Amino acid sequence: MSVIIRLFLAATGMAVALAFTPTSFIINRATIGPNRGSSSLCMVQGRGGGDNTYKRVFVAGGSRGVGRLVVDKLLASGSDVVALVRSEETSRELSALGGVTAIRGDAMDYKTVEGAMDGCDAAITTLGGGRDPRSDGKWVDYVGNNNVIEAAGVLGVTRVVLVTSIGCGSSKDATPPSVYEVLEDVLTQKSKAENVLIKYYTNMNWTIVRPGGLVSAPETGLSILTEDTTAIGSIHRGDVADLVVRALSSKNTERKILSAVDPSIASSANPARRTTEAFVLV
């Protein structure tokens, strides 16, 4: 990894950490009554139905971070996984897990993505990381994710979950200006990938999940998804993975854009203590 990219990622991490230092974030968990179940304003958190489990799921970005945890969650849910990874070490590690087929390749290459995804019935991409110096400075946040989306369309893999970030698209104003300024290039690239999925794959059952500031710590089990585009906060990587896999099998997430935050983690990004509603997963 080049010095420039390392400096960029370091600056990104510092900005996110500063954005999500303590105050509080409050979630109003509504209860579903007989006449309220269909309203997105009154939804609460729940679990996806088991009859919607996908048998073979393609994962891009499964080498580390949220993507690696998504692999574990998928296996626990009963799905087999095809993981596209770049390193031999990661390939050996994942191949040692029962139910995982690890394929070495680069998500920046469309044909590689298409070949790896062939035979899968769903796809999850958590790709990110900035410019790729081996690809004329192209961003994996857009090009890699776009390759996953395009390959899914070509192969008829109609179920796709794209993991981006709060600050993308309609949630731009949720991000503190000082943080957005640092992350603008990355968020712009991720937003481009979102737009491709939303505008050009109208027959696809897609879901976009936008996590808040990522925290490396054990899961709390208290994180939520919400349709509130102004929601802001932090979330542990394991909780993001849990929500992504639950959203994959949920009957309610078709063509939904959902932010992911953890109300138990205090955040200076929400000093007004504004509340938001959680989204139901059934």
Side-chain angles (χ1 to χ4, degrees), residues 116-178:
M117 193 186 299
D118 195 9
C120 295
D121 54 357
I124 297 173
T125 175
T126 67
L127 290 171
R131 290 189 182 93
D132 188 334
R134 302 166 310 149
S135 303
D136 299 324
K138 296 178 181 177
W139 295 72
V140 68
D141 303 80
Y142 169 62
V143 177
N145 284 320
N146 184 64
N147 285 341
V148 173
I149 295 165
E150 183 177 350
V154 169
L155 295 170
V157 179
T158 58
R159 185 68 177 115
V160 173
V161 178
L162 170 63
V163 181
T164 58
S165 176
I166 289 179
C168 291
S170 57
S171 66
K172 176 181 178 180
D173 291 341
T175 309
S178 59

Side-chain angles (χ1 to χ4, degrees), residues 202-278:
T202 56
N203 292 327
M204 186 178 286
N205 177 9
W206 53 260
T207 304
I208 294 171
V209 176
R210 297 169 173 166
L214 296 174
V215 179
S216 295
E219 298 173 39
T220 68
L222 300 173
S223 58
I224 67 157
L225 295 172
T226 178
E227 289 186 277
D228 184 354
T229 58
T230 66
I232 189 69
S234 299
I235 185 168
H236 293 187
R237 287 176 171 83
D239 287 305
V240 177
D242 181 59
L243 290 174
V244 166
V245 173
R246 289 164 60 189
L248 176 73
S249 61
S250 171
K251 299 175 183 178
N252 279 358
T253 58
E254 181 172 353
R255 296 185 181 86
K256 294 291 186 182
I257 302 173
L258 304 167
S259 294
V261 292
D262 189 333
S264 72
I265 303 176
S267 173
S268 62
N270 184 27
R273 300 172 62 87
R274 181 181 50 79
T275 62
T276 190
E277 298 290 352

Side-chain angles (χ1 to χ4, degrees), residues 17 29 37 73 75 80 100 113 170 179:
R29 295 179 178 272
K73 295 289 184 180
L75 294 176
D80 288 335
V100 178
V113 175
S170 57
V179 176

Side-chain angles (χ1 to χ4, degrees), residues 2 9 13 54 63 73-74 85 101 120 122-123 140 142 169 177 197 218 257:
S2 72
L9 293 178
Y54 291 88
S63 298
K73 295 289 184 180
L74 285 169
V85 299
T101 300
C120 295
V140 68
Y142 169 62
L197 191 57
I257 302 173

Side-chain angles (χ1 to χ4, degrees), residues 7-172:
L7 289 174
F8 174 82
L9 293 178
T12 295
M14 289 177 63
V16 171
L18 288 172
F20 303 110
T21 49
T23 53
S24 62
F25 187 87
I26 300 174
I27 301 298
N28 181 13
R29 295 179 178 272
T31 56
I32 297 180
N35 299 318
R36 301 177 68 185
S38 63
S39 171
S40 63
L41 294 176
C42 301
M43 288 179 173
V44 297
Q45 195 68 31
R47 289 197 173 270
D51 59 345
N52 234 23
T53 300
Y54 291 88
K55 294 181 179 179
R56 190 172 176 84
V57 183
F58 173 81
V59 177
S63 298
R64 56 189 175 84
V66 171
R68 178 63 182 81
L69 296 170
V70 163
V71 172
D72 292 336
K73 295 289 184 180
L74 285 169
L75 294 176
S77 74
S79 296
D80 288 335
V81 175
V82 176
L84 181 63
V85 299
R86 293 165 80 173
S87 75
E88 178 63 33
E89 180 182 358
T90 304
S91 177
R92 288 196 301 268
E93 176 192 338
L94 291 177
S95 295
L97 301 176
V100 178
T101 300
I103 298 176
R104 285 192 66 193
D106 191 345
M108 298 293 280
D109 180 70
Y110 170 77
K111 282 298 183 182
T112 298
V113 175
E114 183 182 311
M117 193 186 299
D118 195 9
C120 295
D121 54 357
I124 297 173
T125 175
T126 67
L127 290 171
R131 290 189 182 93
D132 188 334
R134 302 166 310 149
S135 303
D136 299 324
K138 296 178 181 177
W139 295 72
V140 68
D141 303 80
Y142 169 62
V143 177
N145 284 320
N146 184 64
N147 285 341
V148 173
I149 295 165
E150 183 177 350
V154 169
L155 295 170
V157 179
T158 58
R159 185 68 177 115
V160 173
V161 178
L162 170 63
V163 181
T164 58
S165 176
I166 289 179
C168 291
S170 57
S171 66
K172 176 181 178 180

